[in-house]
Amino acid sequence: MHLRANTSSPLLVVGVVVALLAGLPVASVGLNLFVGGTSETWSHLSQTVLPEYIANSLKLCLGVGLGVAVVGVATAWLTAMHDFPGRRFFEWALVLPLAVPAYVMAYVYTDFLQFVGPVQSALRAAFGWEFGDYWFPDIRTLPGAVLMFVCVLYPYVYLLARTAFLERASGMLEAARTLGMGPWRAFFAVSLPLARPAIVAGVALALMETLADYGTVAYFAVNTFTTGIYRAWFSLGDRVAAAQLAAMLLAFVLFLLMAERVSRGRARYHNTTGRNRPLAGARLRGAAALAAVGACALPLLLGFVLPALLLLKMALTEGDAQFGERFLVLSRNSFLLAGVTAACGVLIALLLAYGARLSKGAFAAGLNRLVGLGYAVPGAVIAVGVLIPVTRLDHWLAGQWAAWFGHNPGLLLTGGVAALIYAYLVRFLAVALHTVESSLAKITPSMDDAARSLGLGQGETLRRVHAPLLRGSLLTAGLLVFVDVMKELPATLVMRPFNFDTLATQAYTLASDERLAEASTAALAIVVVGLLPLILLSRQISAARRG
Amino acid sequence: QEKVLNLYSARHYQTDEALYADFTKQTGIKINRIEGKEDELLERIRNEGANSPADVLLTVDASRLAKARELGLFAPLSSPVLEKRIPAHLRTAEWASFSTRARVIVYNKARVQASDVQNYADLADPKLKGKFCSRSGSHPYNLSLLASVIAHEGEAKAEALARGMVANFARAPKGGDTDQIKAVAAGECGVAISNSYYVARLMRSTKPEDQKTMEQVGVVWPNQATTGTHINVSGGGVLKHAPNKEAAIKFLEYLASDSAQRYFADGNNEWPVVASVKVDNPALSKLGKFKADQLPVNSLAMYQVKAQMIFDRAGFK
Amino acid sequence: MTQLELNGVIQRYGSHTVVDGVDFRLAPGQIACLLGPSGCGKTTLLRCIAGFEEIAGGEIRLHGEPVSRPGSRVAPEKRRIGMVFQDYALFPHLTVEQNVGFGLDRRQAEHNHLRVRQLLATVGLAGHGDKYPHELSGGQQQRVALARALAPRPALILLDEPFSNLDVGLRERLSVEVREILKREGSTAIMVTHDQNEAFAIADEIGLMHHGRIQQWDTPYNLYHRPANRFVADFIGQGVLLAGTVGDDNSVHMELGTLVSDTPVECSESCTGCDCGCAVDILLRPDDIVHDDASPVQAEVLHKAFRGADILYTLRLESGSEVLSLVPSHHNHALGEKIGIRLDADHVIAFKKHAACGNDPACEIRLEQQAAQQQPGRHT
Amino acid sequence: MTQLELNGVIQRYGSHTVVDGVDFRLAPGQIACLLGPSGCGKTTLLRCIAGFEEIAGGEIRLHGEPVSRPGSRVAPEKRRIGMVFQDYALFPHLTVEQNVGFGLDRRQAEHNHLRVRQLLATVGLAGHGDKYPHELSGGQQQRVALARALAPRPALILLDEPFSNLDVGLRERLSVEVREILKREGSTAIMVTHDQNEAFAIADEIGLMHHGRIQQWDTPYNLYHRPANRFVADFIGQGVLLAGTVGDDNSVHMELGTLVSDTPVECSESCTGCDCGCAVDILLRPDDIVHDDASPVQAEVLHKAFRGADILYTLRLESGSEVLSLVPSHHNHALGEKIGIRLDADHVIAFKKHAACGNDPACEIRLEQQAAQQQPGRHT
Ligand SMILES: Nc1ncnc2c1ncn2[C@@H]1O[C@H](COP(=O)(O)OP(=O)(O)OP(=O)(O)O)[C@@H](O)[C@H]1O
Ligand SMILES: Nc1ncnc2c1ncn2[C@@H]1O[C@H](COP(=O)(O)OP(=O)(O)OP(=O)(O)O)[C@@H](O)[C@H]1O
Ligand SMILES: [Fe+3]
Ligand SMILES: [Mg+2]
Ligand SMILES: [Mg+2]
């Protein structure tokens, strides 16, 4: 028995180290906030385009935030707490849009809906219209971008909220009903607030991804704050100004996240009852059942079925000439990277989230918010942010090696798979962390105490109590990271080893040469490869509901 | 030890693989390559510093080459072969161009007269109000075009041009060059600008809808009477810390060889930089000879930031 | 008029029948207590009444209207039934005040506020309104749950061990106050409790449950003094069953002496037809056996439990039978010591013996329960 | 040797001091009970001992080794302290058997299995091993929590109201069995309970807590018969304080008559220096006042509570003071009736009156508590 300082815990130390590693690139971006920039770039941007970019970003956030929250929560609520024809199918199918990269979705919808696309051409042919004779909504606008993002990002909210609803404490719902609240009002007064950590996490992830996105908004020419960052960097050649803008974005996101945390006050979200039984879903009939099916089918149609069909058609008619053995290699590469990253990410997220739970202090929680910020930074910026420390370390290693063995081994890490996975982790740890944290908040603190009083250390408590209790969320987190890595581009492009292509880079190569139709094969492959674990895991997740 | 060449390339043409394979076959040097975006690749090379494995950097934009030079990433390039084969305005002491692409005007034959769009300046003419389409103003292709205008005519003229174009927009800038061509053909736009190889690719396409597209549009070589049509280049140089400098020079020289040059033309519809090379590309032949801007490509980089600022001020999104 | 009426209610979890043909009636304003061993189905019965469980048989009526029948039921929130849950089920995201005010009509903010503060004061939590449940002690949480259930003045309130985590003083004060509130507001109540004194103090009627069946539904006095069967006799209060033989009308002969009661021997129902000479078991409470140094009957002290004012002695008679005796605590005898005792019972409660059981009381209870199951409905 | 030692332990939630300078010692194998009103800090004190809470002052030692000090502590899992949580804290993802076996060394599967089955049988849950916690009743869950904490044979076990959801019979049987298990395995135990009888029956020593301080740490007998202060007198058992005046050595004059005890008047600590003529309050338990139709002192029945064997009467004296009297239940008098009573107390417990308080008992308790706080450590 050793007296140990109250603040010290082995797990917390591990957590802090991991957090520092993961936070380093983000911090190196953030630090630029305090470096004096080139005033010319600043004044130019702020006088010309920045106000519009900021306005666009805010509008985009508002639209996407509302959209994913409504669609995600509604579908989660319907599938988790009701029974209607097709529910079991929708349960896992609603996750599918996750596999479609937003930029691919943007290409596909544009191709489908633009003036020269099949829909408008058919309309013109049918009615003999010419240009200007009729009005047709333009998808490549801000509302269009919102629609795209909502379609591919709502699964974040869906998955997290659903897990929360499934983990719901039936006891608390019953209490609400004895107090005169019908299922509908009980949903708003109890289920929804109790799912708040999960919903907030889902919406936050969707918003961070929206803010960091460049491909979609660039293609739609909806210029956002990220456009501003890229403009400062690429067009105006001012890296410092770009980093400062990125840091501002970070500060904004951090502020939002913290504000949300603070607004929770001392409220808790854990289960207060010990006798929760899986409630049989309320059975919907007639018009209600029809409405439920419709509500679930629409996002699935728009977010997956239609784009997948369009991609399939493109791939079949004018797909990649190189389809074949090469795709096996690409798929394998993508799958391995995504799989390894997902496993590492979930593990690290679990450690970090649990560390913060243990320390109860603001320090660890704050650290975790910082770690999670990588997701809000545009991919190219974070890729460079990762390059800097990795190459530094590499130089140091090379120097040591040279000092010991007398020759320069070159760079050991940069351009290696490990560094690439590190970059992914920096970028996507937020996804796993938010997911795990939101679910951890639902576990009664007395679980921890009970395990410790039975002689389990922190690590073992995590392994034997929390991990099984979090099973659904851990799978969800792994799934989300997996799919995100499958789709990731900027870091993959710049950090990958020689001659190492993935499905995403393949799609990129073709798309950037404006061979969209050919890129469809790779895009479809991303969807298909992502689909496998998606279907497998989402079944597991539904099965992991606990009593 | 196996001879290798480490290539960092921003060329995004899948068909380039045949080119690299040909090089390996000829020289026995294996090519390791990563493809990415110019600016990120520059960051990677910069950070890798003295230990960088990169031998050659290839880009598709002159200003990025200039930037790499500015950052001191290139080694001096001295190759008699390159000096002999590549025209002086298409190379510098550190890097050389291996192919060019022209920025041409594409118009809808039914909606616009060819005579009204003979120069880039015409795109600002109020006659084209509501007819002009373009990709984003921040795209390097447009930036380098405006940079060339600044180089030739000064900032004021350039800004007037940009503002005129904005006033003529049929729609907010969006999509790529191919999108613009298709929109012109469909009548949504009257006129647009595009890189020549996209036009050529559509001309060579066997797909009926592409052929129909090209039936609707005409292509103009702008500024034939004045400075010549704006061109940008794809080029590269040997990096300062290249571990395989010899192979790197060999590779660049290979890119200037007849077979490689023909490959750029045939495979990717670009114009070779070596005048003597015979091109066997029906689309390029059909587009015919044109007077290219002789501006040293170097200066495109000089004005790129200015060009972006002008676009921003003019509201060319 | 009846407020609540259960007719042969049956509930099952899978194939396990938890509530097994329960029927009783409650008039408006009445307070009933449910007693019974752990796991006998009390909570489940309350959940059936609240509408959370489907019933597999019988029917439940509120105000004469059927609300639960096999296959159909009225939603819980439509029943105006309040409930204090055994595990409280407080809302962790709401403060104490918000928890208590949860079921109140939201349009009457002013009025609600008053009601909430008043209830919090009643349960001794004035000043804790801004806390969150996790910042309260177990007993404090339990009181919040109680206040929350009382707040909307439900017509019927179900209390599942509402005082289990409170100290005696608070629990007595609260049970009196809750009783007053319920009576004042005319609410009908069913309370589950493990504290028989509490049940005796608060209840108009008590139902004793065992294995999903109501063994006796009666007044506190009758339950204690006229247990319907051995199980009730054993469960309520303390006591032992001692063998005896019915003598002429008013007497029973036992090892300890002869009991003569004022009235004829009150054979419990299961002993109808008790005749002279019939072998019976007599229920002896600890206060039926008094310590008397002068008594010729001596018994050995087997075990003693300090009870404050008294000591509860477990004594062994010559025959080996054990009896309990409550003796003022200044009579502090050592284990093994022999002390004099005598019978001092007012009335005699006798259960007819089953020949098959020999001297095994568990066997007797089992046989009795079996007999009861073959005549459903008999016990009300 | 002491197993557990607390010296001036202080714990705070924010600025709210919940445990306020607690010290006591427990020898190995001893069983202590903690009593106290809801919210007085019992659970928090257990949590400090288990190592879940940081302490702000004082020190906790196990086997003489310090395990908690302000700013540092030994991790809970290193202390070999078992705990039954007030809210059970069962693991919902594990079956009953897995829950109980959770803390056992996993390498000894065979042996563990035996232990688990044996404990389940002890707590009356044989055959429920494969169920999940949500399939159990409240009392069944509580018993699983108990079995789980006992399973690893902890050196020290903390039981936070382990029987609160059990019926009397089961609770008595279990408390005896748990006591046996603890004694057999040489475990030291601290148990929080609200049931004083349980505490009296099971505990070697009892600590009574109030406002975060131990008011008295003593044997059950002393706690009942020699309360250290008014709060203890009030909290333990039932009773009232009645004004009186100390006469010559062995007597106190009261409204009800004169009390003469065998020994000199036992003035409690707070009354040191009680002299003849000194105004005191005398603690009268319900059994100190006997119903005697022959007695000249008559009192009016204010309230009566049926207690099974007895009825607890609340009576009003002429002066308006109220007293309690426990009367065999066949003396069934109506409310408002006047009945004869007399004093029958063995020993006298007197508390010196504070002049400032007039006749307000609450005031007296307050003053006493204040005085105690100015002399920390006095009460052990
Ligand atoms: N997390 C917390 N934050 C703030 N105050 C708390 C917290 N936990 C408990 N308290 C307060 O500390 C006091 C003591 O609580 P504790 O749980 O120790 O009481 P207890 O004696 O166990 O009561 P009970 O018998 O009701 O369980 C209570 O007044 C409670 O409101
Ligand atoms: N969800 C369930 N699935 C299966 N069996 C259950 C379930 N809930 C309760 N039971 C069983 O039903 C029986 C009655 O449970 P109930 O909760 O009604 O008991 P109780 O009388 O309230 O007991 P306690 O006094 O311990 O709270 C118990 O044996 C329990 O194991
Ligand atoms: Fe291009
Ligand atoms: Mg129960
Ligand atoms: Mg407590």
Side-chain angles (χ1 to χ4, degrees), chain A residues 512-514, chain B residues 12-13 60 101 135 139 141 177 195 197-198:
Chain A
S512 66
D513 194 24
E514 305 189 1
Chain B
H12 43 245
Y13 313 112
V60 289
R101 58 283 299 282
R135 74 189 308 162
H139 196 276
Y141 297 164
D177 283 356
N195 270 3
Y197 56 90
Y198 293 120

Side-chain angles (χ1 to χ4, degrees), chain A residues 22-33:
Chain A
L24 202 60
V26 179
S28 70
V29 172
L31 281 181
N32 280 297
L33 198 55

